[in-house]
Amino acid sequence: MPDVTVVGAGPNGLAAAAVMARAGLTVEVFEAAPVVGGGTRTAELMQPGHFHDVCSAVHPMALASPFFRAFELSRRMELVTPELSFGSPLDGGRSALAYRSLDRTAAGLGRDGAAYRRLMGPIVRNIDDVMDFTQNQLFRLPRNPVAAGIFGLRTLEQGSGLWNARFREEPAPALLSGVAAHAVSHLPSLAASGAGLMLGALGHAEGWPIPLGGSAAIAAALATDIEAHGGTLHTNTPINRLTDLPPARATLLDVAPRGLVDMAGDSLPARYRKALESFRYGNGSCKVDFILSGPVPWQAAELADAGTVHVGGTREELAHAENEVSAGRHPERPYVLVAQPSRFDPRRAPAGRHTLWTYCHVPAGSTKDMAEAITAQLERFAPGFRDLVVDTNVVTAAQLAEYNRNYIGGDFSAGTMDLRGLVQRPVVSRHPWRTPLRGVYLCSSSTPPGPGVTGMPGLHAATHALKDIFHLPVPSLGLGGA
């Protein structure tokens, strides 16, 4: 009989299991897939020797998440952090570039450089306090109310019709909108602007690192630590009902709210069950991976040095594309998120070849193959791209939902990213990781702080379980710990 059972071996489930195992408890993790990792898996999707990240590829939180900092992730695996965190191509061979150096970034933004520095500078300088605020529950007094207030005012500006008030040219707004569009939300909106400002500031404060060997290295580091502290990982073991689990004092579920409803059945109180059933999921993504016979021939050549490229054009074009998705339509010119891992990690592809990771947003449940629309956008800003394509792998939003039970309708954020979705995640509560069932906790991205490879939902849920059930403090998570 284990002390703790964990369902789901994505980064949040693994983070929760690592915390509990480090606390000296016996832990068993159950994963439906053949391998652990969830959103951090890497595979040879098309041809041998060509490694693609199945979900996440670039990890702004790997150096900044409070959980990964405590876990000392950067000491457990190799990360490469490009000097050019991200960029946005514009027509005519122009581009907007976000370097790790805020000053260098501002210098490249022309007349808007000073305005961009004034917007981002206070967030970058207070990034630790901003992370403390954004990586916790919203119903909580911030550690640094002044920093939270500064962040909040900038979020309000960039999430409203005032978002262009600072700027006179196209590059700076395009740079900000490209990051905000990660939220799969209407533009402008408060949720998107908050996510964009946080991620953008991390690009200047910490950089956006790429795991050498693929995102699976993150899952491997967590799994290794769990097993080193006596935990057991069971793969190919789907759990459909809570009664399928061995008896345990605490159960942590890296599942979407719909999964908890299905697993718990009538044991959930009616009011809580109704709240979970009303939880809203967001739009989906169509993921397209490429094998190329050479690097992307960006017309703006400096983009070759960017780990991440936000393809779509001006702020107005990006907003139009995202708002088309919000209206339930497939955009003709989608916003395309691009990662270039083989540019920084030669082990991803044989000599002379490159792997390219892309996705665009689509309406929930979409079965449409967006490969041609994505290719056309890349060809627009990288003439000759089409001629370099050796092979392509497409996963529609509907197929994403089949791949991972938590990706309802292809929503890898596991919940709508808007203001209501940030407060009701999955219920309105000061402790949303707790469920009404004694010893049962949610630790998926459907709980605060939400999506992203942060490990924080797992840490929060485990912290409550340790306190409520075992009366134990959070253990040391670093390499020097127990």
Side-chain angles (χ1 to χ4, degrees), residues 105-128:
T105 301
L109 292 175
R111 291 192 299 164
D112 286 333
Y116 182 86
R117 185 189 290 109
R118 286 194 295 271
L119 175 71
M120 299 298 293
I123 304 176
V124 174
R125 289 192 295 273
N126 293 283
I127 193 63
D128 288 344

Side-chain angles (χ1 to χ4, degrees), residues 146-453:
V146 174
I150 291 171
F151 180 79
L153 289 173
R154 281 157 170 73
T155 296
L156 183 63
E157 172 199 310
Q158 288 299 304
S160 69
L162 298 173
W163 68 340
N164 282 324
R166 290 179 184 261
F167 304 114
R168 294 173 287 178
E169 298 180 336
E170 291 179 340
L175 196 64
L176 291 165
S177 296
V179 192
H182 281 238
V184 201
S185 181
H186 187 87
L187 294 178
S189 70
L190 293 178
S193 68
L197 289 171
M198 180 195 68
L199 291 172
L202 286 174
H204 301 305
E206 304 278 359
W208 285 14
I210 297 170
L212 293 183
S215 294
I218 296 175
L222 288 163
T224 297
D225 194 74
I226 293 166
E227 292 178 328
H229 290 84
T232 303
L233 302 171
H234 305 277
T235 55
N236 284 314
T237 311
I239 301 297
N240 297 312
R241 306 281 293 183
L242 290 179
T243 52
D244 294 341
L245 292 166
R249 295 174 64 188
T251 296
L252 292 93
L253 304 173
D254 186 0
V255 303
R258 186 178 298 178
L260 174 56
V261 170
D262 292 340
M263 295 170 69
D266 295 334
S267 62
L268 288 174
R271 184 175 179 182
Y272 184 78
R273 181 189 179 103
K274 184 177 180 180
L276 294 186
E277 290 174 338
S278 71
F279 183 76
R280 298 169 306 131
Y281 299 93
N283 284 309
S285 294
C286 179
K287 185 170 182 288
V288 182
D289 291 287
F290 296 91
I291 294 175
L292 305 178
S293 60
V296 178
W298 299 108
Q299 191 172 10
E302 57 269 23
L303 289 171
D305 293 326
T308 302
V309 184
H310 303 123
V311 175
T314 64
R315 164 169 273 181
E316 291 70 26
E317 289 179 289
L318 294 170
H320 176 72
E322 291 301 275
N323 295 342
E324 283 285 281
V325 176
S326 294
R329 296 186 289 267
H330 294 83
E332 291 184 16
R333 285 186 161 186
Y335 160 78
V336 184
L337 186 57
V338 177
Q340 307 183 107
S342 59
R343 163 68 179 80
F344 305 93
D345 181 4
R347 72 185 75 177
R348 300 292 187 97
R353 291 283 186 90
H354 283 271
T355 56
L356 193 73
W357 177 103
T358 78
Y359 73 74
C360 71
H361 300 145
V362 293
S366 168
T367 59
K368 185 171 182 177
D369 178 341
M370 295 293 286
E372 176 53 36
I374 287 175
T375 299
Q377 282 287 65
L378 287 163
E379 184 73 22
R380 172 186 170 190
F381 297 106
F385 170 80
R386 192 182 298 271
D387 297 333
L388 298 176
V389 176
V390 175
D391 209 346
T392 306
N393 185 75
V394 179
V395 182
T396 66
Q399 290 169 329
L400 270 177
E402 294 173 2
Y403 161 76
N404 190 318
R405 296 189 203 184
N406 288 354
Y407 297 167
I408 309 295
D411 171 21
F412 54 70
S413 297
T416 299
M417 290 298 292
D418 59 12
L419 191 57
R420 175 184 161 188
L422 293 176
V423 174
Q424 182 191 354
R425 202 161 189 97
V427 295
V428 179
S429 169
R430 292 184 62 229
H431 308 290
W433 307 276
R434 290 178 177 143
T435 79
L437 302 179
R438 174 69 175 171
V440 177
Y441 300 81
L442 273 175
C443 65
S444 70
S445 294
S446 299
T447 66
V453 181

